[in-house]
Amino acid sequence: MSAKIISGSEIARTIREEIAREALRLRQEYGIVPGLVTILVGEHPASVSYVTAKQRAAHELAFYSVQENLPETVTEQELEKCIDRYNNDPKIHGILVQLPLPRHIHEQKIINAIDPDKDVDGFHPVNLGRLMIGGDAVKFLPCTPAGIQQLIVRAGYTTEGAEVVIVGRSNIVGKPLAVMLMQKARGANATVTVVHTATKDLAAHCRRADILIVAAGVPGLVKPDWIKPGACVIDVGVNRVGEKTSEKTGKKIPILRGDVDFEAAMEIAGAITPVPGGVGPMTITMLMANTVKAAQYAANIPLAAKH
Ligand code: NAD
């Protein structure tokens, strides 16, 4: 039997249509245009491509969007000053600083400088605290975990009472996702296990999972015999394993692989996300959803969207 492919690209398209309708309602009923600034430090190719994709999505949704490019040599103070300018700009509702930052800049200090009400990445300690409390306290869900939750729910999987195993405990994926999925809430209420580099028998934990989410950054880490037959497998890993020439543009593009041995897993899992085209498009989509939310919070408008 072959697993169903959960297409992040398709689900993301549906959610973007919902966001577009919500943004139109904001414009027509309240005269508000959601505003997003993406701040890029340096010219790291992966970061440039992520920021470009975020700007493209914002344009397509007719947001007010600004791209701020700062040199690799920018100082911490200059970057904080730049953030503060957007903290005080009423046209901007969401501020995204593309990570990672150069070594001479203290990343957490920069995240802390963003106004928590404009923190559309959901990484500010205030928003992580709100996430921990859950319920009405939550303002912004971190984008990748939020995208993963949407993928699971919209693919028709029930999280309520499910055994969820998350491989990886990073601050941007594993930890916030575990907190989200253990909450007593819709699309959550799961029994969550987080496994990591110190876990003794990784395979045994994974085999118990009704929903297995892998965010380790190790290509092909999860083998087919680690997967419970029929499980829902979400592969978050994006690993550059080589280069190929694009048929469309003739340019060199990276060859991407996930953390799961995809071909073999297809024979065991009930459903699986591909890499690319799985979690990736969802992350950017949830950033757009958070930007609309930020605009709504700023104007005290009740939320109508379901993400
Ligand atoms: P990270 O390096 O910060 O964290 C990886 C985690 O996996 C760590 O907690 C570590 O303990 C665990 N881990 C690593 N190797 C392991 C092993 N052999 N066994 C068990 N646990 C192991 O990475 P991250 O930022 O969370 O990203 C993880 C992967 O997800 C990367 O490939 C990254 O590119 C990808 N990612 C994708 C998106 C997206 O939008 N598609 C977003 C974020 C991250």
Side-chain angles (χ1 to χ4, degrees):
M1 207 191 75
S2 210
K4 172 180 141 187
I5 297 208
I6 303 174
S7 168
S9 308
E10 267 175 39
I11 294 175
R13 199 173 308 127
T14 304
I15 298 178
R16 284 189 203 193
E17 283 165 13
E18 294 166 8
I19 296 169
R21 281 199 290 277
E22 189 64 3
L24 186 67
R25 185 180 78 92
L26 279 185
R27 193 169 312 124
Q28 289 179 338
E29 291 181 22
Y30 303 94
I32 295 170
V33 177
L36 174 72
V37 60
T38 50
I39 303 176
L40 175 67
V41 178
E43 292 171 4
H44 189 274
S47 293
V48 172
S49 84
Y50 290 140
V51 162
T52 307
K54 287 166 189 175
Q55 278 294 323
R56 194 183 311 125
H59 279 292
E60 282 168 9
L61 289 163
F63 288 3
Y64 169 67
S65 64
V66 178
Q67 170 59 39
E68 186 78 53
N69 293 309
L70 299 172
E72 181 89 19
T73 51
V74 73
T75 66
E76 214 167 76
Q77 288 83 350
E78 285 165 339
L79 181 52
E80 280 172 333
K81 223 170 145 189
C82 170
I83 291 170
D84 209 44
R85 198 152 37 84
Y86 291 110
N87 279 342
N88 292 303
D89 182 342
K91 291 201 297 302
I92 293 294
H93 304 102
I95 301 172
L96 177 128
V97 179
Q98 185 63 44
L99 303 177
L101 291 169
R103 278 166 176 270
H104 68 278
I105 297 177
H106 194 287
E107 214 159 83
Q108 191 59 52
K109 219 171 150 187
I110 295 305
I111 292 170
N112 294 354
I114 300 170
D115 177 346
D117 290 343
K118 296 192 177 190
D119 168 41
V120 282
D121 241 349
F123 294 157
H124 192 285
V126 167
N127 285 316
L128 290 173
R130 287 170 175 157
L131 178 67
M132 192 66 107
I133 295 165
D136 291 344
V138 180
K139 274 200 139 180
F140 301 112
L141 295 172
C143 302
T144 301
I148 293 168
Q149 187 180 39
Q150 289 290 327
L151 280 178
I152 296 168
V153 171
R154 290 182 188 238
Y157 280 82
T158 306
T159 49
E160 175 109 33
E163 288 286 341
V164 171
V165 175
I166 301 172
V167 184
R169 57 178 161 190
S170 72
N171 286 342
I172 63 166
V173 189
K175 274 194 233 169
L177 183 61
V179 172
M180 280 168 61
L181 294 180
M182 75 167 78
Q183 300 286 357
K184 194 166 183 176
R186 269 194 317 144
N189 222 1
T191 302
V192 181
T193 305
V194 179
V195 296
H196 43 74
T197 40
T199 299
K200 286 205 179 100
D201 190 346
L202 212 56
H205 285 286
C206 292
R207 268 184 217 117
R208 284 190 299 102
D210 301 312
I211 300 171
L212 177 62
I213 303 160
V214 194
V218 180
L221 173 70
V222 171
K223 308 289 178 272
D225 64 332
W226 296 20
I227 297 170
K228 182 174 171 178
C232 169
V233 179
I234 307 290
D235 190 352
V236 190
V238 179
N239 306 290
R240 291 172 182 237
V241 295
E243 271 191 341
K244 61 180 179 188
T245 307
S246 161
E247 281 175 24
K248 260 199 214 158
T249 62
K251 284 188 187 161
K252 291 266 184 223
I253 52 168
I255 300 171
L256 302 179
R257 290 272 180 278
D259 287 351
V260 178
D261 180 349
F262 182 80
E263 302 299 334
M266 280 287 290
E267 300 305 313
I268 313 286
I272 186 165
T273 56
V275 178
V279 176
M282 294 298 291
T283 297
I284 296 180
T285 300
M286 300 323 289
L287 177 72
M288 301 302 129
N290 277 348
T291 304
V292 171
K293 269 189 197 166
Q296 287 168 313
Y297 290 138
N300 270 322
I301 296 167
L303 304 186
K306 44 181 184 273
H307 22 74

